[in-house]
Amino acid sequence: MHQKPNPAKNQDAATTRATANRNKRKNNRGIARTRPPQLSTMPSSSPIVFFVGSYTQAEGHVPEGDGAGIYCFSLDRKTGELTLQYKTKKTVGQDLHNPSYLQYDKARQELYVVEEICSGKDLSKVTPRLLVYTVQNADKEVSQLMITSEVDVPRIANCYVMHHDNQLWVASYGSGCVLQYPILPKEEQVQQNGADKAHSNTAQLFTTDVEQYSYKGHGPNIERQDMSHAHHVAMSPDKRWVYVCDLGSDAIWCHDRRKPLSSADPLKISTPSGSGPRHLVFHPTLPKVYVVAELTGHLLMYQYHHKTGELEMKQDISTYPADFDGEPSGAGIRMHASGKAVYVGNRNHNSIAVVALDTTGRVILDASGTSGSTSAKGDAGKSRIPRIQWVSCEGACPRDFAIDPSGQWLVVGNQDSDTLAILKITTPTHVDEDSVEVYECKTPSCIAFAN
């Protein structure tokens, strides 16, 4: 999460790569963009809405925080053109402060947002919140956000929010903990607030039974792993287990949902020393889990054991090219809906790695070195090359990205260059780099489709 500034040689290398890519496209198409185009104001056909969280102020890992709060865009699924619907920096009574992560729930038509304040000094001035918005007309050309409720989350660097059933889970990086906020059932919301306030910004959605679990641990990287740093929360497909990625402890903690969070004794699943697990995703149909390790830039593939919650590591693969000589910094991870590829964000290399999977969910390893990647571990001593396409994000620091529900478009948020890059996915394992279009969006940090 708190990555170091890019070394000069990495920035020079990234600039060289970007220039080469632009020149290549110029030769192919006779035109090269030198700045992001203005956002379209024309209506789009077959649009789908997505939301972007942003940093509104600078933090240690964010050189400039110029975001407008929450952005809402529509994506034309035929052309890939973006339309900015609106942006909002204010809630009732105060500005949004670094709404850096958000999640949309289609069934409830709600957007959940967590604010991230990274220093105790700032925390004494502003209390970060967990906010709930009702999304109106999410499937239409123009949607609307209405603040429904909010609750204080006085922890340092809240960086992730997950919704399931009547619960919201928040990972707090700086405080090394996870919090669980129960949501009142709809009928109780009406009883407590009255029918006229059940969906207003004064509504009480949360119960007072907030639970917290604090983790203990550290890793070999003294600067980044001095203590536990909870970074991500994920629910298993069978809804039995909750997993928390702890970057500071080189661990993935597994909680049994049948037990109260505060009194639980979670299972500790260790990751390679110094790896720093950041986020994970499940395969859509197979018992496989994929973890992006921020500090090493590796992709870790695990076998999921649903009866015990245990994760058994099967593959450990670098998502960076063999000739990369900078400091790896893994970021987002997304699974293509087909299950044929997993996508990983590479900061400092400014790319998205499209990693091909076979029918068993394993990373495909080629005998030849044509892909240019480092060799894989965890394959009975074999040294082969993972099949990876590196896609330039046409910007700096791809903090997050998302794949649209149809699996046809890749949207990348470039935090340090204030842009969104839109690329066409031709097959699950291939992205057309010549299709890239770049749009202005200040300090994007998270992308969530209203799918």
Side-chain angles (χ1 to χ4, degrees):
M1 176 179 177
H2 297 274
Q3 67 180 78
K4 295 179 180 178
N6 294 355
K9 63 179 180 180
N10 289 350
Q11 187 61 49
D12 292 344
T15 301
T16 300
R17 283 193 300 273
T19 301
N21 288 335
R22 282 194 295 270
N23 289 340
K24 177 181 177 181
R25 281 188 287 277
K26 182 176 181 180
N27 292 334
N28 290 341
R29 299 185 299 186
I31 186 171
R33 290 184 310 282
T34 58
R35 62 181 181 180
Q38 295 296 313
L39 293 175
S40 170
T41 57
M42 297 297 292
S44 62
S45 59
S46 64
I48 184 169
V49 168
F50 68 89
F51 301 96
V52 179
S54 68
Y55 285 100
T56 60
Q57 64 189 51
E59 298 289 352
H61 59 296
V62 184
E64 297 180 6
D66 298 322
I70 301 172
Y71 297 83
C72 180
F73 293 89
S74 62
L75 170 68
D76 188 311
R77 284 178 282 191
K78 292 182 179 179
T79 66
E81 185 178 21
L82 287 192
T83 301
L84 175 62
Q85 293 193 4
Y86 54 82
K87 50 189 175 182
T88 177
K89 193 172 183 178
K90 291 185 177 294
T91 61
V92 177
Q94 70 180 75
D95 287 348
L96 282 166
H97 296 278
N98 292 344
S100 65
Y101 212 90
L102 41 83
Q103 187 181 83
Y104 179 74
D105 185 278
K106 181 178 180 180
R108 299 173 69 102
Q109 294 189 325
E110 290 177 338
L111 185 71
Y112 309 108
V113 180
V114 66
E115 293 181 310
E116 177 182 343
I117 304 297
C118 296
S119 73
K121 181 179 179 180
D122 291 339
L123 199 66
S124 65
K125 301 176 183 178
V126 178
T127 301
R129 299 164 295 169
L130 172 60
L131 304 113
V132 180
Y133 290 87
T134 297
V135 182
Q136 300 175 330
N137 303 320
D139 58 344
K140 305 296 183 183
E141 174 67 22
V142 178
S143 68
Q144 292 181 329
L145 277 181
M146 182 178 72
I147 182 70
T148 301
S149 189
E150 62 182 64
V151 62
D152 289 346
V153 186
R155 302 294 185 273
I156 299 174
N158 304 314
C159 60
Y160 195 86
V161 59
M162 179 194 75
H163 171 258
H164 181 71
D165 289 341
N166 287 323
Q167 295 175 339
L168 283 170
W169 298 66
V170 174
S172 176
Y173 181 93
S175 298
C177 66
V178 66
L179 301 103
Q180 181 190 86
Y181 289 82
I183 302 175
L184 288 168
K186 290 289 186 181
E187 58 274 14
E188 292 187 32
Q189 293 178 27
V190 174
Q191 290 174 6
Q192 286 207 17
N193 300 287
D196 59 330
K197 291 186 178 181
H199 299 287
S200 72
N201 54 44
T202 59
Q204 176 57 48
L205 295 189
F206 301 100
T207 73
T208 58
D209 302 322
V210 179
E211 294 193 63
Q212 174 179 316
Y213 191 91
S214 297
Y215 304 101
K216 303 295 182 183
H218 58 85
N221 186 325
I222 297 175
E223 182 177 351
R224 297 294 310 279
Q225 297 183 305
D226 58 323
M227 59 174 284
S228 288
H229 291 303
H231 211 312
H232 176 80
V233 188
M235 184 75 65
S236 65
D238 54 13
K239 318 303 181 188
R240 169 73 185 277
W241 310 101
V242 172
Y243 295 89
V244 178
C245 289
D246 183 349
L247 184 149
S249 299
D250 287 329
I252 301 170
W253 301 96
C254 176
H255 292 268
D256 188 338
R257 288 195 64 227
R258 297 172 300 181
K259 301 177 182 179
L261 175 66
S262 57
S263 62
D265 183 18
L267 171 68
K268 181 181 181 180
I269 301 162
S270 295
T271 63
S273 180
S275 59
R278 178 183 172 93
H279 285 190
L280 65 81
V281 293
F282 281 83
H283 193 281
T285 59
L286 299 171
K288 299 291 192 293
V289 175
Y290 306 84
V291 180
V292 58
E294 177 173 331
L295 302 184
T296 58
H298 278 217
L299 174 66
L300 312 175
M301 191 276 279
Y302 291 84
Q303 182 75 23
Y304 166 58
H305 298 281
H306 69 92
K307 291 183 178 181
T308 63
E310 184 67 67
L311 301 180
E312 180 183 1
M313 193 172 76
K314 295 295 185 180
Q315 289 180 301
D316 178 354
I317 292 166
S318 174
T319 62
Y320 283 74
D323 60 356
F324 176 75
D325 62 353
E327 180 181 1
S329 182
I333 182 169
R334 306 286 184 180
M335 173 65 64
H336 193 275
S338 68
K340 295 180 179 180
V342 62
Y343 292 47
V344 179
N346 292 330
R347 292 177 292 193
N348 292 350
H349 187 249
N350 294 328
S351 68
I352 304 298
V354 182
V355 185
L357 306 176
D358 65 19
T359 56
T360 70
R362 296 180 68 85
V363 175
I364 296 175
L365 302 177
D366 294 322
S368 66
T370 55
S371 75
S373 174
T374 54
S375 59
K377 300 177 183 179
D379 281 272
K382 299 177 182 178
S383 180
R384 294 190 290 167
I385 307 300
R387 191 178 298 175
I388 299 176
Q389 178 197 10
W390 286 280
V391 181
S392 171
C393 67
E394 293 295 322
C397 191
R399 184 176 184 84
D400 195 33
F401 63 93
I403 301 170
D404 89 293
S406 72
Q408 299 179 74
W409 297 99
L410 175 65
V411 182
V412 184
N414 295 311
Q415 172 190 293
D416 292 349
S417 55
D418 296 329
T419 56
L420 297 178
I422 313 298
L423 298 106
K424 177 70 173 177
I425 300 174
T426 55
T427 70
T429 59
H430 185 267
V431 175
D432 180 8
E433 289 191 86
D434 289 339
S435 69
V436 67
E437 295 291 343
V438 183
Y439 293 82
E440 295 175 356
C441 181
K442 296 291 185 179
T443 331
S445 58
C446 177
I447 299 168
F449 276 94
N451 55 349

